[in-house]
Amino acid sequence: MDRSYAGISGQYPRSDNGYNQPNGHAPSSRRGRYRHATVRQRDSHPRSTPRCNEFHHSSGTRPSQYLMHRSVNSAQDFNTLIKPEIMDGLVSKSDRFGHRYDGRNHGQYASSIKKYTTTAKRPLNRTEQSQLIRFLQNFTATRSWNWRSLTTTLHSFTSAGIFAIHKPMDERVKLTQAYLLSTLLDAIIFNCNQTPEARDIDARGIANLLWAMAKLVDNGLERTPGLNEAVAALLPHVNAQKDQFNAQGSANLLWAMTKLVDNGLERVPGLKEALAGLLSHVNAQKDQFNAQGIANLLWAMAKLVDNGQERTPELNEAVAALLPHINAQKDQFNAQGIANLLWAMAKLLDNGLERTPGLKEAVAALLPHVNAQKDQFNAQGIPNLLWAMAKLMDNGLERTPELKDAVAALLPHVNAQKDQFIPQHIANLLWAMAKLMDNGLEQTPELKEAVAALLPHVNAQKDQFIPQHIANLLWAMAKLVDNGQERTPGVKEAVAALLPHVNAQKDQFIPQHIANLLWAMAKLVDKGQERTPELNGAVAALLPHVNAQKAHFRPQEIANLLWAMAKLVNSGQEPTPELKRALAALLPHVNAKKAHFKPQEFTILLWAMAKLVDSGLERTPELKDAVPALLPHVNAQKDQFIPQHIANLLWAMAKLVDNRYEQTPEFNEAVAALLTCVIVQKVNFKPQEIVNLLWAMAKLVDNGQEQTQGLNEAVVALLPLVNAQKDQFNAQGIANLLWATAKLGELVELNVATSTFESLVYRISEKLQFSQKEISMSLWGLMVCCARLALDSNTDENNVFEKHIDDLLTRLENTSPDNEEDQSIMIMAASWLGRTCPVAGHYQTNISKTQVDFRDQLKSSIPFLKIEEEKSLNSLPPVDLLLPDHNMVIEVQGPSHYVGGNFNTRNGSTLLKIALLQKAGFEVIEIPANQLLNNDLNPILIK
């Protein structure tokens, strides 16, 4: 979901212009090398070399040379840099020698600018830059310059801040910067493309040039065609001279190429080969890297992978080679190095790197140093560290005491540095805190304070967030709320501030953003967020993009999108044409990608489809095809489902059947597989899951699910848990449990059913806020329990439950229900209690062929017998056959009257009807329909 990144900011890899000999001495100036970015002058006498661009020095000291022999150690020396005679001397030298001028004096002058900033320990300020830029209008690099002059000039100008961008930018400064850079790049390209005999390209110069170009781009300079061409011209030389780079050069080059790629450099020819060549040297030079080099290398490799670089064997070997050195040098890393390393390891892990012992040890070695250096992390380091720790946990890293301590150490600094965070930091911090909580981190006061400190900045900086930030922020707030964060005014205001930007930036969201945004909005609504016009507008703005980008959603995103749409519809979202089109666009991809869904995603998908159907969505061919595509995978992955998945899956399948989904062999196999999991994981179910499971099993049975041994054992395994967790069920849970236990009828032993009802019924007297539907379900369930007791014996236990029946009936009457089902339950309860009912029953009659055949045979056998059909007695539901002269009722019981249709185990509805009739004074004869198949009435008549 997130594409957050950490960079090497504040400090860049040091790029050395000096050549250090193996013995530690500086090279001789007579070799023409630079030392510490300062040009050593060549002898003034002619040299017998074949190079055409070398020239003779005169004996006089020129202004530019004069600067090289001084120490620039105070601010007043800046004025020395802009003396007119300096530029006059440079122009004169260039004009005098023309195409033979090798640029050495220009390079010396560029080095003097860098020396000034190095001594001042800061880049040029805006005023200094402006003065120098005006001074450099006649500073022109040409193709005659040698390699040394070009590399020194570009590196020095970049380091000193000549090309720095200030806002607002003076147009003349911009033009001069562009001119200076274009002439330098043109000369570099020319030099790179010369034949070997005409060039002096060295490894250090290559590293310094690519470092300078990377820093320019990273500081906001536009990537011009000239810069792209210069990079492309340098890359073959990286590969050609790969054996010449020392450890620092290798680290700087990988950092530079990574920065260029990260800032949009196209995959130019030679880049892949250059990277591969350098990566192989990382392994070879692993013992020579210092702490900064290790941090920069791992950061670079993580960033390359994050930008699409293939994790080649060379890259994997390079990472593996460096990890042990993190542990070995753990005490040498500064705060920035620690932040970059943890970020890098989190990114590599997130992009598929195996969680090896080496990686775990490296993380474990660094975490104590987060706490030790907590006061040294800047405003960028804190977000990167928290993001990294959240990612590491999200990818399976154990929540160790060291990790918890590191998080706890950083959280107070979020509050302390809240005013320094840029929009990206705010988004990454809230995302990280949401992820940490989602992975089990305790919601401490410090975490709450950190969240509260950031929320006002969401509102304040709302116009600065890019699409990714908006998606991450809304996802984070939804996750925080989902994990118990209070919906404070700060949360509400932050959400309200972001929603209009969803609509405004709708065309810029990638598939992951679309999925996360719709998930977040659905989750917020599910947690009580008001469906404001802004929220509705944001949803409406995104739905067409689901259709447009349907082919690009990953399996997890497909699951989250369907979940979100189901939740929104369930919360009152109108099923608009756009929503229906979005669903129709996604469902074929469920079938197409069925092999790639994880256990959680199978659960989400089946739950979502059940919810959509239950909310009235048409059972389209696409939906019908999607369900059977998933069912075999339920059986295949049954051992990977956690308790929540098991409960949700059985709930979903019960809902689908309740909405007329066919119980195919695959469906029955999936149910059987899950029932086994219920038995195995019975002690791990939470209260809500127990409720959903028993409700689902009752619904499945009510819709004809076969009464198997697995079903019986699952029910027996769960019911004792109701008593154990009785204090944790809410009103809806109590109602569903009473209903389900009653609906299962004689499948539940009477003493177990009675015990279950006793454990729940006292909660009704606590005056919990029951809805009309919950009152009705509870009332019906209690009547079934009383019915079972009445049919079994003449005990007085009914009296306990009848008090609650009386209370619930009064509460239901006060709601004035207008639906026939609730009115029918009121009538039955009034009949049971002997009370007058304020409503009259309205029943539809449905005479089965079995009933008609039996009536005809009965009349044929006993012609004088008076028989009435579908008669409503005492306003109760109609009976099949009434023999008024004998005060007798005959009920022809088809399979729907039995659990699983087995003609042995009566369900709750059947038991209640019989008990009500008996209580009204009628003798009831039950005739299972399967006994009528042989057309022999004698046994029945004898009975």
Side-chain angles (χ1 to χ4, degrees), residues 735-756:
N736 283 341
L737 285 169
L738 292 171
W739 178 90
T741 307
K743 180 59 74 173
L744 289 167
E746 292 174 329
L747 186 143
V748 181
E749 290 184 12
L750 181 57
N751 64 322
V752 176
T754 305
S755 173
T756 302

Side-chain angles (χ1 to χ4, degrees), residues 76-92:
Q76 66 187 25
D77 286 315
F78 176 76
N79 293 324
T80 309
L81 295 173
I82 56 174
K83 287 185 176 181
E85 55 265 32
I86 294 177
M87 187 54 63
D88 291 343
L90 293 175
V91 172
S92 172

Side-chain angles (χ1 to χ4, degrees), residues 607-815:
W607 181 94
M609 288 185 268
K611 263 291 178 192
L612 288 165
V613 169
D614 196 48
S615 295
L617 193 79
E618 183 186 355
R619 288 191 301 118
T620 61
E622 292 84 2
L623 192 141
K624 291 177 183 176
D625 290 343
V627 172
L630 295 174
L631 289 174
H633 295 274
V634 173
N635 200 347
Q637 298 197 34
K638 60 186 176 185
D639 296 328
Q640 300 177 52
F641 293 121
I642 61 174
Q644 183 186 359
H645 299 161
I646 297 164
N648 286 352
L649 280 166
L650 276 169
W651 180 94
M653 289 193 275
K655 270 290 178 189
L656 287 166
V657 167
D658 202 39
N659 283 282
R660 302 187 306 283
Y661 182 81
E662 184 184 356
Q663 286 172 286
T664 60
E666 293 80 9
F667 183 96
N668 291 334
E669 286 172 15
V671 169
L674 290 169
L675 289 172
T676 304
C677 298
V678 171
I679 299 163
V680 172
Q681 299 205 40
K682 60 185 178 183
V683 297
N684 300 317
F685 291 111
K686 296 176 184 175
Q688 182 63 50
E689 293 159 2
I690 294 168
V691 172
N692 289 351
L693 284 166
L694 284 167
W695 179 93
M697 288 187 269
K699 266 292 175 188
L700 287 166
V701 163
D702 198 37
N703 283 283
Q705 181 74 28
E706 185 182 356
Q707 184 188 344
T708 61
Q709 184 178 351
L711 179 72
N712 295 348
E713 290 177 3
V715 171
V716 169
L718 288 174
L719 283 173
L721 302 178
V722 175
N723 196 9
Q725 301 191 37
K726 59 188 176 184
D727 296 327
Q728 299 179 52
F729 298 112
N730 59 18
Q732 183 183 13
I734 292 167
N736 283 341
L737 285 169
L738 292 171
W739 178 90
T741 307
K743 180 59 74 173
L744 289 167
E746 292 174 329
L747 186 143
V748 181
E749 290 184 12
L750 181 57
N751 64 322
V752 176
T754 305
S755 173
T756 302
F757 274 83
E758 287 173 346
S759 67
L760 294 172
V761 76
Y762 81 97
R763 298 287 310 280
I764 297 173
S765 61
E766 293 178 354
K767 300 297 182 184
L768 293 175
Q769 294 300 311
F770 283 80
S771 67
Q772 178 181 301
K773 182 179 180 182
E774 290 158 4
I775 295 170
S776 177
M777 291 173 70
S778 301
L779 178 56
W780 184 88
L782 280 174
M783 284 194 292
V784 172
C785 184
C786 288
R788 291 195 63 184
L789 289 167
L791 292 172
D792 185 72
S793 65
N794 294 317
T795 63
D796 293 331
E797 290 186 64
N798 280 10
N799 295 333
V800 177
F801 296 125
E802 284 181 357
K803 292 176 183 177
H804 294 289
I805 290 175
D806 187 65
D807 174 57
L808 287 170
L809 176 57
T810 302
R811 290 163 72 175
L812 187 58
E813 287 173 344
N814 291 338
T815 66

Side-chain angles (χ1 to χ4, degrees), residues 34 71 81 179 231 276 304 311 318 369 467 526 537 848 862 867-868 877:
Y34 293 114
S71 173
L81 295 173
Y179 173 74
V231 172
L304 285 168
R311 282 198 307 108
H369 294 274
D526 193 46
S848 68
I862 312 175
I867 302 174
E868 295 183 20

